[in-house]
Amino acid sequence: MAMDFGSAAIYAAILLNVLWAIWIGALQVSRIRQSRHAEKAIDSVGSGYWVLDASGRFVDVNAAYCRMVGYTRKQILAMHIADFEAVATREGIRKQIERILQKGQERFETRHKRSNGEWVDLEVTVTAVGKHQVIVYLRDISERKKAAIEINQLALYDPLTALPNRRLLQDRLQQALRNATRSKHHGALLFIDLDHFKTLNDTQGHAKGDDLLRQVAQRLVSCVREGDTVARFGGDEFVMVLVRLSPDATEAAAEVRSIGEKILIQLGQGFRLGDLDHTTTASMGISLFSNQAVSIEDVLRQADLAMYKSKAAGRNGLRFFDPGMQVAIEARMALETDLRNALLSQQLVLHYQPQADRHRRIVGAEALVRWQHPRLGLVMPTQFIPLAEESGIILQLGQWVLEAACLQLVQWATQARTSALVLAVNVSVRQLQQPDFVEQVLDVLRRTGANPGKLKLELTESILVSNVEDVIAKMSALKAVGVSFSLDDFGTGYSSLAYLSRLPIDQLKIDRTFVANIVASANAVSICVAVISLARSLNLNVVAEGVETEEQFQLLACVHQCDYVQGYLIGHPLPADGLQAMLD
Ligand code: C2E
Ligand code: MG
Ligand code: MG
């Protein structure tokens, strides 16, 4: 709307300009000296008209100008034009008129002070008439100026929060970088991102989200000094530029830290969004700059990286950028690119770790993915699964694993020694959250022809943080075709027993940290025993992972009747033919 109004005002201004030029042309041609007719005509378009003598005294003035400045004709005729100007002196005006009398015409913009103290913006055309007088046409351009300011506002400020936008931020940052170089003072860029803003927007609606952004903007502005900039960078991201910090780097860092902490505390105070009480936190990345030559892009990227680190460290905190961060992030980015390639160029392989019953008979295996990296050699999943989860690659990776595992099952089904083996496949919570997860699994089963009864999916307790009903529905759908479920790393998460009893799982998998300590620590024994008895009462079976020694095996399988074991004692994860050889 504001833009339309602005454009309309500009068109009107252009039209008036044209009219104006016509008037001036016409008047000049006929040289009508103080013509009442001309004055009336000019009056009718609302423009001012003066006749001045060579010293700048009024000889005549029209009614339109009187209205413009709020004085009577009589009052004006007794004044000097310097009285209306902000800075011009009588002498300066005299010289200007002298110049115009020689040159013929001059056009410029100025402002005149009204009787009520306000200012009116004017476009002035002064034309020499003979040797001793000038005619001055004055056009009120306040509206045009206002429109120009509004357009400027739109181009440089964020309409929602009225904070400088990204474009103006760049100018201010450029300025701050230049000043830091010149003054030896440090400056800092703070990158602030609200935590979980999307959830508010999605659950409470955009009006509430907008309201929060506006209030956050106000709080941020209240935290900084004059000369600093608070800008909206986009979405729920804000950027602050702090200037004139200490010339000493350590002191400057301490100053920014204290401002940053103040901001986080301010943002942590509750917000009132209409009828909703809302609390939020923010994550902040900080980049200090001084007199070394850095670009706007560098500073922004550094603060952004630091912000990302602060999010990864659990949100609601601040981080300073340091060069080590850059190296780590670059390595991570390179690994991410490599991992995408790995999927395309078949560099992933599955290894199979045997699972045995209490009599050490191999009854199945767990599929564990490895990355045959062309340079780094065999990379273990702990080094790339977290990255795959963060970057979303896990979805394709998981799909690949599932398919490879099912193909293995099909192959095992062809031989008597392997046809009874159950294969466990790790499924990430992100995979399970896919709306079409069930269809994906069913589709792979159908395409490969694998027996669903031999497929076991390993989930971790983290599935319980998402929509439990949805998880239960998906598991039930797959159970209906014969797929079974195991709860991996059990005891390390935050399972609520109430939820646990509702999940359609078949097996609990005791985490290997408990198994590792079982011989030395009474606590570890108690935990293993508790998990085993919990499983019994819920009618589930139990597998202990990470069984490395005979003592652990004896204690778990023989003394405490754990159903199955998995670990180096039985066998390391091996390529498929290695497992096959174990069975021969
Ligand atoms: P996990 O599912 O708990 O797998 C068991 C891990 O324990 C495996 O590590 C295995 O090599 C290791 N392990 C087995 N026996 C022993 C033992 O006796 N002692 C010790 N110290 N460790 C033992 P790995 O293969 O490095 O896998 C690590 C984790 O990576 C897995 O933990 C799983 O969370 C994840 N992962 C592996 N493959 C996949 C996959 O295909 N998809 C997903 N989403 N995650 C996977
Ligand atoms: Mg597992
Ligand atoms: Mg495990």
Side-chain angles (χ1 to χ4, degrees):
M1 268 322 271
M3 183 60 107
D4 287 349
F5 166 73
S7 336
I10 283 188
Y11 288 132
I14 292 169
L15 202 69
L16 265 175
N17 242 327
V18 172
L19 255 177
W20 208 198
I22 294 168
W23 271 120
I24 289 169
L27 288 170
Q28 263 180 292
V29 171
S30 55
R31 294 270 183 213
I32 305 167
R33 200 173 292 200
Q34 296 174 39
S35 151
R36 287 287 145 204
H37 178 65
E39 192 190 323
K40 251 170 116 182
I42 292 171
D43 243 6
S44 71
V45 291
S47 294
Y49 166 85
W50 300 341
V51 179
L52 300 176
D53 68 14
S55 71
R57 266 181 206 296
F58 286 105
V59 176
D60 198 7
V61 59
N62 74 342
Y65 183 74
C66 298
R67 282 195 303 274
M68 250 180 230
V69 289
Y71 289 104
T72 63
R73 187 162 183 273
K74 201 167 155 213
Q75 283 171 320
I76 294 175
L77 289 177
M79 293 164 85
H80 188 277
I81 58 170
D83 300 335
F84 295 97
E85 296 273 349
V87 284
T89 61
R90 288 182 181 218
E91 184 50 22
I93 287 169
R94 197 189 59 71
K95 282 195 176 142
Q96 192 183 7
I97 294 178
E98 202 174 289
R99 207 171 54 229
I100 296 168
L101 285 172
Q102 282 167 14
K103 188 165 96 173
Q105 197 180 58
E106 223 170 74
R107 197 167 173 154
F108 54 91
E109 286 184 10
T110 188
R111 329 183 71 187
H112 281 179
K113 195 172 195 162
R114 295 167 54 91
S115 59
N116 63 6
E118 287 172 4
W119 291 91
V120 50
D121 288 296
L122 296 167
E123 186 186 77
V124 184
T125 307
V126 189
T127 310
V129 180
K131 287 201 164 22
H132 306 290
Q133 284 188 342
V134 290
I135 298 179
V136 185
Y137 305 103
L138 307 107
R139 196 155 58 86
D140 183 346
I141 53 166
S142 304
E143 281 304 320
R144 192 180 84 191
K145 284 260 164 185
K146 229 172 81 191
I149 289 171
E150 265 175 44
I151 287 168
N152 195 40
Q153 181 85 17
L154 277 175
L156 299 177
Y157 291 85
D158 166 48
L160 179 70
T161 60
L163 292 179
N165 64 12
R166 202 185 264 239
R167 202 170 124 199
L168 184 53
L169 168 73
Q170 294 202 326
D171 290 351
R172 300 268 177 93
L173 183 55
Q174 186 75 68
Q175 186 76 30
L177 288 173
R178 239 182 267 131
N179 286 348
T181 314
R182 217 178 301 131
S183 71
K184 305 213 166 42
H185 281 276
H186 278 83
L189 188 133
L190 281 61
F191 205 107
I192 303 160
D193 185 291
L194 300 182
D195 298 328
H196 306 299
F197 176 72
K198 196 175 169 304
T199 313
L200 172 76
N201 242 354
D202 291 350
T203 58
Q204 303 292 333
H206 287 247
K208 292 261 192 308
D210 285 354
D211 197 3
L212 178 68
L213 292 174
R214 267 191 297 262
Q215 293 189 42
V216 164
Q218 282 165 7
R219 288 198 195 172
L220 292 179
V221 170
S222 74
C223 290
V224 297
R225 300 162 306 179
E226 184 141 358
D228 297 336
T229 298
V230 181
R232 178 153 179 232
F233 199 67
D236 59 341
E237 294 171 333
F238 295 87
V239 165
M240 276 187 182
V241 181
L242 307 183
V243 293
R244 299 196 64 78
L245 300 168
S246 169
D248 176 77
T250 318
E251 276 178 27
E255 280 176 74
V256 188
R257 180 177 289 278
S258 107
I259 296 173
E261 280 166 357
K262 189 170 117 190
I263 291 169
L264 292 181
I265 291 170
Q266 277 291 318
L267 295 182
Q269 316 275 313
F271 288 88
R272 182 92 195 140
L273 309 175
D275 52 358
L276 178 76
D277 281 320
H278 182 72
T279 47
T280 187
T281 55
S283 301
M284 187 186 294
I286 301 171
S287 170
L288 266 188
F289 52 86
S290 60
N291 51 0
Q292 315 104 9
V294 277
S295 68
I296 303 181
E297 292 74 26
D298 285 343
V299 179
L300 273 167
R301 195 166 33 81
Q302 291 173 356
D304 188 23
L305 280 183
M307 189 281 291
Y308 174 82
K309 279 280 159 191
S310 140
K311 281 242 186 252
R315 302 168 202 264
N316 193 22
L318 60 83
R319 276 289 165 108
F320 278 84
F321 168 79
D322 73 69
M325 223 173 241
Q326 181 103 11
V327 174
I329 293 281
E330 274 163 17
R332 182 184 176 277
M333 275 160 51
L335 194 67
E336 190 178 318
T337 315
D338 281 2
L339 188 53
R340 286 188 199 280
N341 277 335
L343 272 163
L344 297 174
S345 45
Q346 309 281 327
Q347 292 168 10
L348 297 180
V349 285
L350 282 189
H351 281 190
Y352 301 88
Q353 184 175 34
Q355 295 183 329
D357 66 11
R358 245 181 267 158
H359 312 289
R360 300 195 195 211
R361 279 188 302 243
I362 294 176
V363 293
E366 177 177 7
L368 293 160
V369 67
R370 272 93 182 92
W371 177 6
Q372 190 64 59
H373 194 286
R375 245 176 327 107
L376 305 174
L378 198 67
V379 183
M380 288 295 147
T382 41
Q383 279 173 275
F384 62 88
I385 292 286
L387 173 69
E389 304 226 7
E390 272 173 44
S391 58
I393 300 176
I394 193 72
L395 299 178
Q396 281 161 279
L397 190 152
Q399 184 80 15
W400 179 86
V401 168
L402 192 64
E403 192 146 344
C406 285
L407 287 171
Q408 189 60 56
L409 276 175
V410 173
Q411 215 234 302
W412 284 346
T414 60
Q415 292 171 47
R417 275 191 313 274
T418 49
S419 61
L421 296 179
V422 171
L423 186 53
V425 173
N426 293 284
V427 171
S428 147
V429 63
R430 291 214 31 190
Q431 285 174 266
L432 189 71
Q433 278 169 348
Q434 292 285 99
D436 61 346
F437 176 73
V438 174
E439 285 72 41
Q440 284 178 22
V441 178
L442 294 178
D443 187 49
V444 171
L445 285 168
R446 220 176 292 124
R447 270 188 291 123
T448 57
N451 175 0
K454 299 283 177 259
L455 180 66
K456 181 158 68 184
L457 299 182
E458 288 196 7
L459 306 174
T460 60
E461 292 165 90
S462 54
I463 52 165
L464 294 171
V465 298
S466 51
N467 184 347
V468 181
E469 299 306 326
D470 178 58
V471 170
I472 294 174
K474 285 173 174 160
M475 290 172 74
S476 307
L478 288 170
K479 263 189 88 82
V481 298
V483 176
S484 59
F485 288 92
S486 177
L487 204 54
D488 202 354
D489 307 338
F490 188 73
T492 58
Y494 24 82
S495 284
S496 139
L497 290 183
Y499 281 142
L500 190 64
S501 62
R502 295 183 50 210
L503 284 183
I505 42 173
D506 305 272
Q507 185 178 62
L508 292 183
K509 201 166 181 186
I510 305 177
D511 188 68
R512 66 173 178 276
T513 50
F514 305 122
V515 175
N517 295 323
I518 196 169
V519 177
S521 147
N523 269 347
V525 177
S526 315
I527 291 171
C528 291
V529 170
V531 174
I532 294 167
S533 63
L534 176 69
R536 294 272 171 276
S537 66
L538 293 174
N539 223 0
L540 310 173
N541 68 66
V542 196
V543 53
E545 66 180 0
V547 177
E548 295 181 359
T549 66
E550 197 55 48
E551 277 168 292
Q552 290 167 343
F553 178 79
Q554 290 298 329
L555 210 68
L556 283 160
C558 306
V559 180
H560 295 296
Q561 305 288 300
C562 181
D563 305 291
Y564 304 103
V565 292
Q566 178 184 344
Y568 298 163
L569 180 71
I570 308 296
H572 283 258
L574 295 166
D577 49 0
L579 184 78
Q580 180 85 40
M582 278 185 78
L583 294 164
D584 288 339

Short mmCIF file of all heavy atoms in Angstrom, two decimals, residues 50-86:
data_model
loop_
_atom_site.label_atom_id
_atom_site.label_comp_id
_atom_site.label_asym_id
_atom_site.label_seq_id
_atom_site.Cartn_x
_atom_site.Cartn_y
_atom_site.Cartn_z
N TRP A 50 7.39 35.14 -6.01
CA TRP A 50 7.94 36.38 -5.43
C TRP A 50 8.55 37.22 -6.52
O TRP A 50 9.03 36.70 -7.52
CB TRP A 50 9.14 36.12 -4.52
CG TRP A 50 9.00 35.27 -3.34
CD1 TRP A 50 7.89 34.90 -2.69
CD2 TRP A 50 10.11 34.70 -2.65
NE1 TRP A 50 8.20 34.13 -1.62
CE2 TRP A 50 9.57 33.98 -1.56
CE3 TRP A 50 11.49 34.73 -2.82
CZ2 TRP A 50 10.37 33.29 -0.66
CZ3 TRP A 50 12.28 34.05 -1.93
CH2 TRP A 50 11.73 33.32 -0.84
N VAL A 51 8.66 38.51 -6.19
CA VAL A 51 9.56 39.37 -6.97
C VAL A 51 10.51 39.96 -5.94
O VAL A 51 10.09 40.41 -4.87
CB VAL A 51 8.78 40.49 -7.71
CG1 VAL A 51 9.77 41.38 -8.47
CG2 VAL A 51 7.76 39.88 -8.65
N LEU A 52 11.80 39.86 -6.22
CA LEU A 52 12.80 40.37 -5.29
C LEU A 52 13.64 41.43 -5.97
O LEU A 52 13.86 41.36 -7.19
CB LEU A 52 13.74 39.24 -4.85
CG LEU A 52 13.16 38.03 -4.13
CD1 LEU A 52 14.27 37.01 -3.89
CD2 LEU A 52 12.52 38.44 -2.80
N ASP A 53 14.16 42.35 -5.16
CA ASP A 53 15.13 43.26 -5.75
C ASP A 53 16.54 42.65 -5.61
O ASP A 53 16.68 41.55 -5.06
CB ASP A 53 15.04 44.67 -5.12
CG ASP A 53 15.49 44.68 -3.67
OD1 ASP A 53 16.12 43.69 -3.24
OD2 ASP A 53 15.22 45.68 -2.97
N ALA A 54 17.52 43.39 -6.10
CA ALA A 54 18.86 42.81 -6.17
C ALA A 54 19.44 42.49 -4.80
O ALA A 54 20.33 41.64 -4.68
CB ALA A 54 19.79 43.75 -6.93
N SER A 55 18.92 43.11 -3.76
CA SER A 55 19.49 42.83 -2.44
C SER A 55 18.74 41.71 -1.72
O SER A 55 19.09 41.31 -0.62
CB SER A 55 19.43 44.10 -1.58
OG SER A 55 18.07 44.36 -1.24
N GLY A 56 17.67 41.22 -2.35
CA GLY A 56 16.92 40.13 -1.74
C GLY A 56 15.70 40.62 -0.97
O GLY A 56 15.07 39.87 -0.24
N ARG A 57 15.36 41.88 -1.14
CA ARG A 57 14.15 42.40 -0.49
C ARG A 57 12.93 42.05 -1.32
O ARG A 57 13.00 42.00 -2.53
CB ARG A 57 14.24 43.91 -0.39
CG ARG A 57 14.78 44.34 0.91
CD ARG A 57 14.88 45.84 1.06
NE ARG A 57 15.93 46.12 2.00
CZ ARG A 57 15.87 45.75 3.27
NH1 ARG A 57 14.80 45.15 3.75
NH2 ARG A 57 16.88 45.99 4.08
N PHE A 58 11.80 41.87 -0.63
CA PHE A 58 10.57 41.55 -1.33
C PHE A 58 10.01 42.77 -2.03
O PHE A 58 9.90 43.83 -1.42
CB PHE A 58 9.51 41.03 -0.35
CG PHE A 58 9.80 39.64 0.12
CD1 PHE A 58 10.29 39.41 1.39
CD2 PHE A 58 9.57 38.56 -0.72
CE1 PHE A 58 10.54 38.13 1.83
CE2 PHE A 58 9.82 37.27 -0.27
CZ PHE A 58 10.31 37.05 1.00
N VAL A 59 9.69 42.57 -3.30
CA VAL A 59 8.95 43.60 -4.00
C VAL A 59 7.49 43.16 -4.07
O VAL A 59 6.57 43.93 -3.89
CB VAL A 59 9.52 43.79 -5.43
CG1 VAL A 59 8.69 44.79 -6.22
CG2 VAL A 59 10.98 44.22 -5.36
N ASP A 60 7.32 41.84 -4.25
CA ASP A 60 5.95 41.31 -4.29
C ASP A 60 5.96 39.84 -3.85
O ASP A 60 6.99 39.17 -3.94
CB ASP A 60 5.39 41.42 -5.71
CG ASP A 60 3.86 41.30 -5.71
OD1 ASP A 60 3.27 41.28 -4.60
OD2 ASP A 60 3.28 41.21 -6.81
N VAL A 61 4.80 39.38 -3.40
CA VAL A 61 4.66 37.99 -2.99
C VAL A 61 3.21 37.57 -3.17
O VAL A 61 2.32 38.39 -2.98
CB VAL A 61 5.12 37.80 -1.52
CG1 VAL A 61 4.33 38.66 -0.55
CG2 VAL A 61 5.09 36.34 -1.10
N ASN A 62 2.96 36.35 -3.60
CA ASN A 62 1.56 35.98 -3.86
C ASN A 62 0.91 35.30 -2.65
O ASN A 62 1.58 34.94 -1.66
CB ASN A 62 1.46 35.09 -5.12
CG ASN A 62 1.95 33.68 -4.88
OD1 ASN A 62 2.66 33.44 -3.91
ND2 ASN A 62 1.59 32.76 -5.76
N ALA A 63 -0.39 35.10 -2.78
CA ALA A 63 -1.15 34.55 -1.65
C ALA A 63 -0.77 33.11 -1.35
O ALA A 63 -0.76 32.68 -0.19
CB ALA A 63 -2.65 34.63 -1.98
N ALA A 64 -0.42 32.36 -2.42
CA ALA A 64 -0.09 30.94 -2.20
C ALA A 64 1.13 30.82 -1.29
O ALA A 64 1.18 29.96 -0.40
CB ALA A 64 0.18 30.25 -3.53
N TYR A 65 2.12 31.68 -1.51
CA TYR A 65 3.31 31.61 -0.64
C TYR A 65 2.94 32.00 0.79
O TYR A 65 3.42 31.39 1.75
CB TYR A 65 4.44 32.50 -1.17
CG TYR A 65 5.68 32.38 -0.31
CD1 TYR A 65 6.47 31.23 -0.39
CD2 TYR A 65 6.02 33.37 0.61
CE1 TYR A 65 7.59 31.08 0.43
CE2 TYR A 65 7.13 33.22 1.43
CZ TYR A 65 7.92 32.08 1.34
OH TYR A 65 9.00 31.93 2.15
N CYS A 66 2.05 33.01 0.92
CA CYS A 66 1.63 33.43 2.27
C CYS A 66 1.02 32.24 3.01
O CYS A 66 1.30 32.00 4.18
CB CYS A 66 0.60 34.57 2.19
SG CYS A 66 1.29 36.04 1.42
N ARG A 67 0.20 31.46 2.29
CA ARG A 67 -0.42 30.28 2.90
C ARG A 67 0.64 29.25 3.26
O ARG A 67 0.59 28.61 4.29
CB ARG A 67 -1.44 29.66 1.93
CG ARG A 67 -2.75 30.41 1.89
CD ARG A 67 -3.83 29.55 1.20
NE ARG A 67 -3.44 29.14 -0.16
CZ ARG A 67 -3.66 29.90 -1.25
NH1 ARG A 67 -4.24 31.09 -1.14
NH2 ARG A 67 -3.29 29.47 -2.41
N MET A 68 1.62 29.12 2.38
CA MET A 68 2.66 28.11 2.58
C MET A 68 3.41 28.33 3.88
O MET A 68 3.73 27.40 4.60
CB MET A 68 3.68 28.22 1.44
CG MET A 68 3.67 27.10 0.48
SD MET A 68 4.95 27.48 -0.73
CE MET A 68 4.04 27.24 -2.19
N VAL A 69 3.72 29.58 4.17
CA VAL A 69 4.55 29.85 5.34
C VAL A 69 3.76 30.39 6.53
O VAL A 69 4.31 30.55 7.62
CB VAL A 69 5.72 30.81 5.01
CG1 VAL A 69 6.75 30.11 4.16
CG2 VAL A 69 5.22 32.08 4.36
N GLY A 70 2.47 30.71 6.29
CA GLY A 70 1.62 31.12 7.41
C GLY A 70 1.83 32.56 7.88
O GLY A 70 1.62 32.86 9.05
N TYR A 71 2.29 33.43 6.98
CA TYR A 71 2.39 34.87 7.31
C TYR A 71 1.47 35.64 6.37
O TYR A 71 1.13 35.15 5.29
CB TYR A 71 3.81 35.39 7.09
CG TYR A 71 4.83 34.89 8.10
CD1 TYR A 71 5.73 33.89 7.75
CD2 TYR A 71 4.90 35.45 9.37
CE1 TYR A 71 6.67 33.45 8.64
CE2 TYR A 71 5.86 35.00 10.28
CZ TYR A 71 6.74 34.00 9.91
OH TYR A 71 7.67 33.56 10.79
N THR A 72 1.11 36.90 6.76
CA THR A 72 0.31 37.72 5.84
C THR A 72 1.27 38.36 4.84
O THR A 72 2.48 38.41 5.06
CB THR A 72 -0.41 38.85 6.61
OG1 THR A 72 0.59 39.69 7.19
CG2 THR A 72 -1.31 38.30 7.70
N ARG A 73 0.67 38.86 3.77
CA ARG A 73 1.47 39.50 2.72
C ARG A 73 2.25 40.68 3.30
O ARG A 73 3.42 40.87 3.01
CB ARG A 73 0.52 39.95 1.61
CG ARG A 73 1.19 40.47 0.39
CD ARG A 73 0.23 40.47 -0.79
NE ARG A 73 0.94 40.91 -1.97
CZ ARG A 73 1.08 42.18 -2.32
NH1 ARG A 73 0.54 43.15 -1.59
NH2 ARG A 73 1.77 42.50 -3.40
N LYS A 74 1.55 41.40 4.17
CA LYS A 74 2.15 42.59 4.76
C LYS A 74 3.37 42.20 5.59
O LYS A 74 4.44 42.82 5.50
CB LYS A 74 1.11 43.28 5.65
CG LYS A 74 1.43 44.72 5.90
CD LYS A 74 0.24 45.45 6.52
CE LYS A 74 0.80 46.63 7.30
NZ LYS A 74 0.00 46.92 8.47
N GLN A 75 3.20 41.14 6.39
CA GLN A 75 4.32 40.70 7.23
C GLN A 75 5.52 40.32 6.37
O GLN A 75 6.65 40.67 6.63
CB GLN A 75 3.91 39.48 8.07
CG GLN A 75 3.04 39.80 9.26
CD GLN A 75 2.50 38.54 9.92
OE1 GLN A 75 2.10 37.59 9.23
NE2 GLN A 75 2.48 38.53 11.25
N ILE A 76 5.22 39.57 5.29
CA ILE A 76 6.32 39.09 4.46
C ILE A 76 7.05 40.24 3.79
O ILE A 76 8.28 40.27 3.73
CB ILE A 76 5.80 38.07 3.42
CG1 ILE A 76 5.30 36.82 4.14
CG2 ILE A 76 6.90 37.68 2.42
CD1 ILE A 76 4.66 35.80 3.25
N LEU A 77 6.28 41.19 3.30
CA LEU A 77 6.92 42.31 2.59
C LEU A 77 7.87 43.08 3.51
O LEU A 77 8.83 43.70 3.05
CB LEU A 77 5.85 43.24 2.00
CG LEU A 77 5.09 42.64 0.80
CD1 LEU A 77 4.01 43.59 0.31
CD2 LEU A 77 6.05 42.28 -0.34
N ALA A 78 7.63 42.97 4.81
CA ALA A 78 8.51 43.65 5.77
C ALA A 78 9.71 42.79 6.16
O ALA A 78 10.57 43.21 6.91
CB ALA A 78 7.71 44.01 7.02
N MET A 79 9.75 41.53 5.66
CA MET A 79 10.84 40.61 6.04
C MET A 79 11.88 40.50 4.94
O MET A 79 11.69 41.00 3.83
CB MET A 79 10.26 39.21 6.33
CG MET A 79 9.38 39.17 7.58
SD MET A 79 8.36 37.69 7.65
CE MET A 79 9.49 36.54 8.39
N HIS A 80 12.94 39.78 5.25
CA HIS A 80 13.98 39.50 4.25
C HIS A 80 13.97 37.99 4.02
O HIS A 80 13.66 37.23 4.94
CB HIS A 80 15.35 39.94 4.78
CG HIS A 80 16.42 39.87 3.74
ND1 HIS A 80 17.07 38.71 3.44
CD2 HIS A 80 16.94 40.84 2.93
CE1 HIS A 80 17.96 38.96 2.48
NE2 HIS A 80 17.89 40.26 2.15
N ILE A 81 14.31 37.56 2.82
CA ILE A 81 14.19 36.11 2.60
C ILE A 81 15.14 35.31 3.48
O ILE A 81 14.89 34.15 3.77
CB ILE A 81 14.35 35.70 1.11
CG1 ILE A 81 15.69 36.14 0.57
CG2 ILE A 81 13.21 36.20 0.27
CD1 ILE A 81 15.97 35.53 -0.80
N ALA A 82 16.22 35.94 3.94
CA ALA A 82 17.12 35.22 4.84
C ALA A 82 16.37 34.80 6.11
O ALA A 82 16.75 33.81 6.76
CB ALA A 82 18.31 36.08 5.19
N ASP A 83 15.27 35.51 6.44
CA ASP A 83 14.51 35.16 7.65
C ASP A 83 13.83 33.79 7.53
O ASP A 83 13.48 33.18 8.52
CB ASP A 83 13.42 36.23 7.91
CG ASP A 83 14.03 37.61 8.10
OD1 ASP A 83 15.22 37.67 8.50
OD2 ASP A 83 13.33 38.61 7.84
N PHE A 84 13.63 33.36 6.27
CA PHE A 84 12.94 32.07 6.08
C PHE A 84 13.91 30.90 5.97
O PHE A 84 13.53 29.75 6.11
CB PHE A 84 12.09 32.13 4.80
CG PHE A 84 10.97 33.10 4.89
CD1 PHE A 84 11.10 34.37 4.38
CD2 PHE A 84 9.79 32.74 5.54
CE1 PHE A 84 10.08 35.29 4.48
CE2 PHE A 84 8.76 33.66 5.64
CZ PHE A 84 8.89 34.94 5.11
N GLU A 85 15.13 31.20 5.67
CA GLU A 85 16.12 30.15 5.41
C GLU A 85 16.77 29.69 6.71
O GLU A 85 16.86 30.43 7.68
CB GLU A 85 17.21 30.70 4.48
CG GLU A 85 16.71 31.08 3.10
CD GLU A 85 16.70 29.90 2.14
OE1 GLU A 85 17.27 28.86 2.49
OE2 GLU A 85 16.11 30.04 1.05
N ALA A 86 17.26 28.46 6.69
CA ALA A 86 17.89 27.92 7.89
C ALA A 86 19.29 28.48 8.08
O ALA A 86 19.67 28.84 9.17
CB ALA A 86 17.95 26.40 7.80
#
